[in-house]
Amino acid sequence: MAKKEKKKKLNRRDFIDRGFRFSIGAGLVGLSGLLAKKSFSNEYVWQLDPEKCIQCGRCATECVMTLSAVKCFHVYDMCGYCDLCGGYLRPGVKKLTTAAENQLCPTSAIERKFIEEPFFEYHIIEELCIGCGKCVKGCNAFGNGSLQLQVNHRLCDDCNECAIARVCPADAFERVPADNPYKFSGNSKDETKKS
Amino acid sequence: MKKSLSIIFLLIIFSIQIYNVIAIQRFPKPEFESGHTQPPTLTPSPRAQALDILDVFVLAAALSIVSWLVIKKRSRKGVFWMSVFAVLYFGIFREGCVCSVGSLQNVTLALFNPEYSIPLTVIAFFILPLVYTLFFGRTFCAGVCPLGTLQDIFALRPMSIKSWLEKVLGVIPFIYLGLAVLYAATGTDFIVCRYDPFVGFFRFEGTFMMFIIGGLLLLIGVFIARPYCRFLCPYGALLNLVSRFSRKHITITPAECINCKLCEDSCPFEAINKPVVLKDKEEKPIASRRFIFISVIIPLLVLIGGFTASQFHENLAIVNPKVRLAKELINNTNYGEPNEEAFEITAFKSAGQSKEELYKEAAEITNQFYIGGWILGGFLGLVFGFTLLSLSVFRYREDYTPNKGTCISCARCVDYCPVLPEDRSL
Amino acid sequence: MNRRKFITTIGRGTILSGLAAISGILIFRNSKEKDLCTYDFVCKECQRLKSCTQPEAIILKRKKAKNSVSNG
């Protein structure tokens, strides 16, 4: 009997309140459903467009990570395997040796390996690369442009607003879909493999 | 012949330097005779997206738990441990990004610029705390927001500050909110993220300035609890407004207030409304005259604010990189660099956009800032007006109650109340 | 006191519906584009292009804007 009386007490205001609560609950359930369904296809990450990049060197200094998440990537597919590499050697060197004073890279992060006459292969040692883009500039000027700056997504924190994007003079940073997070320029766009 | 060839060669090199044409296959791809295979370009994948969904669920769960701890359990200890969890998970594990405070800019940008595709995680981070606040008060601030909880843990020797100072400083979050919305809506910058003082502590790295400002805020926070939340946080300003309409809100006493005054100094945030003794009550004619005066002055403040801010629209717009570039090009000032060409100008030249296009774009953005300036100024005028109103309006109170706007539901006061909860079985 | 409660309820309702509207708009916008945007010649002039966030669409729009500036 007491229960029935309680039920009768439910007045209009309570009813409206309850209605609100239910609709909100339903809305939340719907929202989370949508979230679960759509999230997989709708995430974006930061990446830089090598075609816009002017290698100003700010990537090395402006990233929130103390060693920038922007690294030099070598698109081997485009590389000419030159002996006289514009990305590896300082312009105007006298000897084509691997001596440190001949190298363009300030941290010696490029490894030069002899393959066969007259080809050399160049590897980037990621731990040493600071993302300054000096080699990229050299490769663009004298070579095929196979050295390109890219955001390394294993290192990138994916800040809400990329600190480099803020100061990038070429406006080269943009959000790209997370399922295709690299943006190489040139002829080898689709041939890179995921690791 | 040789000379002309070399000139042509030089010209080619020169044009490459200027236009920065990438990916010309100058040298053919070699064919190896020794059977060497070319290694693949390694492209490490980004953080698993499943983790983003986990974040949203953890957020919802944390909000629910803190709300339950505050409203049902009335446990300060529980809230404290939840704040420790929030600093560890949302702060250190997730590295503080994306947070609800910053998400308000993403939402603004998405509303104003349909080209910007906002991640659903970010929408959830923006909406969920607001919805919870609408129902349970600012429980998000109490034990979920990593920025707030970090300061809360450091609030060791809170002092009280003058209530007028509290009110005046309390206007700053609204100014910050207005500016953040203006700059996000015009696609200029996310200033809240840019000047986030604590994210460096979560990542254990950041700029020197960030650590100085963050450390200073934490140091101040030892004595004046949660300085960022109360006097800066733009999302806090939003929650402050929303929380006033909250359905349930923490109460100091579980039953009836007995006016024992024990809780009076318990709140480190000056968010307890003290009872007003009847004899303090103002005479009616004076009060109503002042009320009418203020109701007239509010629209006036809105107009003055809008006019003033719109006059400064060019100063506001200069933050936008495009407007800045256009200005530097027109004035031929080269970003104040005397020797070399500034990177911005080099990049502009190599991008191949014409100056007229840039000027047109910059003029459009400046115009947006003019309109935005009116809205921002009007909003600020409204905020000033209502602050004045709240200072002058007399409200009769019998008991000690939390101020629903500024109370962040930390549940400190609860421990001071000697009243026992009513026995519900009776 | 009752009047105040009533006002709060109304305020709450308004805020909630506002939030629902915002999230609805954003989610709807997000979800519809993925399938509907095609950048063939067919879609070059279509209405959806304006609100499309796909990179190809943005490039297309920039090109269009450029053309209109250089022509006009």
Side-chain angles (χ1 to χ4, degrees), chain B residues 212-228:
Chain B
I212 290 286
I213 295 172
L216 212 65
L217 275 174
L218 284 185
L219 202 68
I220 295 170
V222 173
F223 305 105
I224 298 167
R226 290 197 182 219
Y228 186 79

Side-chain angles (χ1 to χ4, degrees), chain B residues 66-115:
Chain B
V66 175
S67 302
W68 174 74
L69 283 170
V70 166
I71 306 240
K72 274 267 146 64
K73 283 286 277 185
R74 306 173 56 78
S75 155
R76 169 63 202 158
K77 221 176 177 181
V79 175
F80 175 77
W81 287 113
M82 277 310 287
S83 19
V84 174
F85 168 77
V87 170
L88 291 178
Y89 184 85
F90 292 109
I92 291 167
F93 173 67
R94 284 191 75 247
E95 307 195 311
C97 220
V98 61
C99 73
S100 296
V101 185
S103 74
L104 82 92
Q105 302 163 102
N106 300 57
V107 171
T108 315
L109 180 59
L111 285 176
F112 280 87
N113 179 5
E115 267 184 14

Side-chain angles (χ1 to χ4, degrees), chain A residues 21-36:
Chain A
R21 236 175 300 157
F22 275 118
S23 53
I24 293 310
L28 277 181
V29 170
L31 189 83
S32 47
L34 259 173
L35 270 175

Side-chain angles (χ1 to χ4, degrees), chain A residues 7-55:
Chain A
K7 263 194 179 171
K8 265 187 187 170
K9 266 187 182 169
L10 187 110
N11 59 14
R12 189 165 26 149
R13 194 156 287 160
D14 284 341
F15 179 74
I16 293 171
D17 269 4
R18 203 167 282 184
F20 259 133
R21 236 175 300 157
F22 275 118
S23 53
I24 293 310
L28 277 181
V29 170
L31 189 83
S32 47
L34 259 173
L35 270 175
K37 195 183 153 214
K38 291 287 172 193
S39 282
F40 282 102
S41 60
N42 240 319
E43 293 301 325
Y44 286 75
V45 289
W46 288 104
Q47 191 50 276
L48 78 98
D49 187 347
E51 287 183 30
K52 288 186 188 164
C53 175
I54 60 156
Q55 297 93 38

Side-chain angles (χ1 to χ4, degrees), chain A residues 50 66 116 121 143 157 160 182, chain B residues 22 26 34 36 44 95 106 205:
Chain A
T66 15
E116 62 180 61
E121 195 166 78
D157 261 355
N160 196 20
Y182 288 90
Chain B
I22 302 183
R26 294 198 191 100
S34 60
H36 173 75
E95 307 195 311
N106 300 57
E205 52 195 339

Side-chain angles (χ1 to χ4, degrees), chain B residues 19-82:
Chain B
Y19 293 109
N20 202 20
V21 181
I22 302 183
I24 314 166
Q25 200 82 15
R26 294 198 191 100
F27 306 100
K29 208 176 142 186
E31 280 166 26
F32 299 113
E33 284 158 9
S34 60
H36 173 75
T37 48
Q38 159 202 312
T41 306
L42 296 180
T43 52
S45 314
R47 182 179 186 249
Q49 283 160 30
L51 279 173
D52 285 354
I53 299 173
L54 177 74
D55 288 340
V56 175
F57 279 109
V58 173
L59 175 73
L63 281 167
S64 308
I65 293 171
V66 175
S67 302
W68 174 74
L69 283 170
V70 166
I71 306 240
K72 274 267 146 64
K73 283 286 277 185
R74 306 173 56 78
S75 155
R76 169 63 202 158
K77 221 176 177 181
V79 175
F80 175 77
W81 287 113
M82 277 310 287

Side-chain angles (χ1 to χ4, degrees), chain B residues 108-125:
Chain B
T108 315
L109 180 59
L111 285 176
F112 280 87
N113 179 5
E115 267 184 14
Y116 173 70
S117 156
I118 181 169
L120 287 152
T121 348
V122 177
I123 305 179
F125 266 81

